[in-house]
Amino acid sequence: MKKLDVAVAGGGLIGGAIALELAQAGLRVGVFDQGQPGCEASWAGAGILSPAPESPGTIPLVPLGKASMALYPEFVAAVEELSGQSVGFRPKGTIDALFARDAARELSTLIALHHGLGLKAEPLRAEDARELEPALSADVEAAALRPDEASVDNRALTQAVMQAARKSGVEIFPGHAVKAIWREGASCAGLALQGEKVSAKWTIVAAGCFSSSIEGVKPYAPVRPAKGQMMALRSDALEIEHVLWSEKIYLVPRNDRRILAGATVEYLGFNKDVTAGGVQKILSAAIELAPELANAKVEETWAGLRPDSPDHLPILGPTDLEGLLIATGHFRSGILLTPITARLVREWVTQQRVSVDWERFSPLRFVPACRETTT
Ligand SMILES: Cc1cc2nc3c(=O)[nH]c(=O)nc-3n(C[C@H](O)[C@H](O)[C@H](O)COP(=O)(O)OP(=O)(O)OC[C@H]3O[C@@H](n4cnc5c(N)ncnc54)[C@H](O)[C@@H]3O)c2cc1C
């Protein structure tokens, strides 16, 4: 039987970064993935790093997003140094373009909302936005510049995190599906795999949208997959610097001149088909935002499964089983929230206290008995 200090179920960006952080703290860590690590949502994402809320329901996430954003430059530097791999971090800001006829009013509401949440945002007239990004459509009426936002090549980052983790002593086990948490009375003693048990003082469930399929986890992490279709475009005639947003689409430039466009949000179980309707939706909104994209080459299309929770907020922290922590449900912000997730889990495991309040994201909020005692 394998004996570890920490057993991590799931080798996506979240599980990998937690493993890296804990190995750096001197613990013996193993990561168990049912397939090849880093091939699910962390591969499929767009890599936008934006703490701005996408809807009123995600406002409680803003402080965590800001804390993670603040950690990003040092996280990237450490991962690049340890792995020897570049992760395509682009701290170039975001432009949110408005098409509405009452764009001026919409813009002032948007700016006020951001400032109220302590997020930097500057109003731009349409002509100033187009001076910054000539690719923007002539129909854009106004825009907001969020200068502190960034993007990262999440595929490169995930591979680099895994490599950094290996170099820091983490043992990574591809093709090791976790069947169940290993429960002993009021404690979690590790993980149960097919025909094998792994003993660990600490067990971390970070299996993305699949977490709820691990026996014993569903009460804490009732996550479900939210499919997102994406595509990569390439155009030699087009230079895009910032991440561009509109109400319908985002465009994310990479250092290799690819422009990612996405994404749909669909609840269709674990289906990952790229559909004609999905492609049509993405392309028409992308061309509406940056018309020159009509001449771009379509290089790749794909779909991935975001881990969504019932309230669309992450599920982070200890459970009522001693030694069991959950780190999933990051939905549309898992790439952004990786550094803070890894930091908070490390703080809890090594000191049993955390530097950023994570009570709001407790896995116990879904457990009826616990919910009753806290309300
Ligand atoms: C189209 C799309 C666009 C996105 N864009 C962004 C963005 O711009 N910015 C942002 O911040 N976030 C974005 N996200 C969200 C982000 O990608 C996810 O929140 C994040 O990658 C989740 O990481 P994870 O490690 O929890 O899950 P995953 O990357 O899905 O990893 C889970 C891992 O667990 C493994 N696993 C599953 N079940 C088991 C088991 N039983 N035993 C062992 N291993 C198991 C899987 O094989 C997988 O490797 C996007 C997601 C999608 C799909």
Side-chain angles (χ1 to χ4, degrees):
M1 182 168 63
K2 290 184 186 68
K3 280 194 169 194
L4 297 164
D5 296 320
V6 186
V8 181
L13 185 54
I14 296 289
I18 289 171
L20 169 61
E21 183 102 11
L22 290 171
Q24 292 274 311
L27 298 170
R28 181 152 184 237
V29 187
V31 175
F32 300 86
D33 198 286
Q34 64 180 7
Q36 277 302 319
C39 294
E40 292 290 347
S42 304
W43 173 87
I48 300 168
L49 306 176
S50 167
E54 282 193 64
S55 64
T58 56
I59 286 176
L61 198 50
V62 171
L64 208 63
K66 280 163 70 177
S68 208
M69 195 71 223
L71 292 175
Y72 240 96
E74 67 176 274
F75 174 64
V76 161
V79 169
E80 288 189 335
E81 161 103 42
L82 279 162
S83 66
Q85 298 171 10
S86 160
V87 305
F89 181 55
R90 292 172 57 97
K92 295 181 186 266
T94 293
I95 292 180
D96 195 350
L98 304 177
F99 284 93
R101 224 169 289 131
D102 57 353
R105 200 163 53 89
E106 208 182 296
L107 182 62
S108 62
T109 310
L110 192 75
I111 298 288
L113 171 74
H114 282 78
H115 290 176
L117 294 166
L119 296 166
K120 247 194 220 165
E122 298 162 18
L124 293 178
R125 292 178 310 166
E127 53 270 38
D128 297 330
R130 273 191 292 276
E131 202 177 313
L132 284 176
E133 285 293 355
L136 283 174
S137 161
D139 293 335
V140 168
E141 295 280 339
L145 170 68
R146 298 197 293 258
D148 290 348
E149 295 188 357
S151 68
V152 69
D153 181 339
N154 43 286
R155 293 182 184 177
L157 177 65
T158 306
Q159 289 314 314
V161 163
M162 291 301 162
Q163 178 65 0
R166 263 184 224 104
K167 287 199 172 168
S168 307
V170 173
E171 292 178 84
I172 298 177
F173 300 94
H176 280 60
V178 173
K179 299 278 168 215
I181 52 165
W182 174 8
R183 194 179 167 149
E184 286 210 335
S187 302
C188 179
L191 292 172
L193 317 183
Q194 188 76 52
E196 184 189 0
K197 277 187 169 173
V198 177
S199 142
K201 180 165 191 285
W202 296 94
T203 301
I204 323 280
V205 174
C209 71
F210 310 90
S211 298
S212 54
S213 319
I214 297 175
E215 211 183 301
V217 173
K218 199 168 186 174
Y220 306 113
V223 281
R224 62 175 178 152
K227 171 174 151 182
Q229 299 188 48
M230 293 273 304
M231 71 174 52
L233 304 164
R234 188 184 289 273
S235 159
D236 290 335
L238 203 65
E239 198 79 57
I240 296 180
E241 272 295 289
H242 304 76
V243 171
L244 302 182
W245 277 93
S246 77
E247 204 189 354
K248 299 182 197 156
I249 191 91
Y250 52 68
L251 300 174
V252 188
R254 291 281 193 251
N255 287 340
D256 65 1
R257 295 185 63 90
R258 278 160 45 113
I259 297 161
L260 270 53
T264 63
V265 182
E266 303 162 73
Y267 293 93
L268 297 169
F270 292 92
N271 172 299
K272 285 198 279 190
D273 291 344
V274 173
T275 63
V279 167
Q280 181 196 36
K281 209 167 156 184
I282 295 170
L283 279 179
S284 64
I287 292 167
E288 182 184 53
L289 182 59
E292 179 56 34
L293 281 177
N295 299 312
K297 188 171 141 196
V298 176
E299 274 207 347
E300 190 187 349
T301 59
W302 67 93
L305 303 173
R306 310 171 183 91
D308 193 13
S309 72
D311 56 12
H312 310 301
L313 295 173
I315 306 173
L316 280 182
T319 62
D320 53 0
L321 283 189
E322 204 185 321
L324 178 67
L325 271 81
I326 308 288
T328 189
H330 294 80
F331 193 32
R332 306 192 73 174
S333 308
I335 314 295
L336 167 69
L337 296 171
T338 292
I340 193 69
T341 299
R343 171 71 61 94
L344 294 176
V345 170
R346 192 254 293 154
E347 288 174 353
W348 186 262
V349 166
T350 59
Q351 308 159 36
Q352 281 82 67
R353 59 185 167 79
V354 282
S355 54
V356 177
D357 183 18
W358 65 356
E359 199 51 43
R360 177 72 183 80
F361 310 109
S362 168
L364 298 178
R365 72 187 188 274
F366 302 114
V367 180
C370 301
R371 212 168 42 214
E372 276 153 29
T373 54
T374 52
T375 51

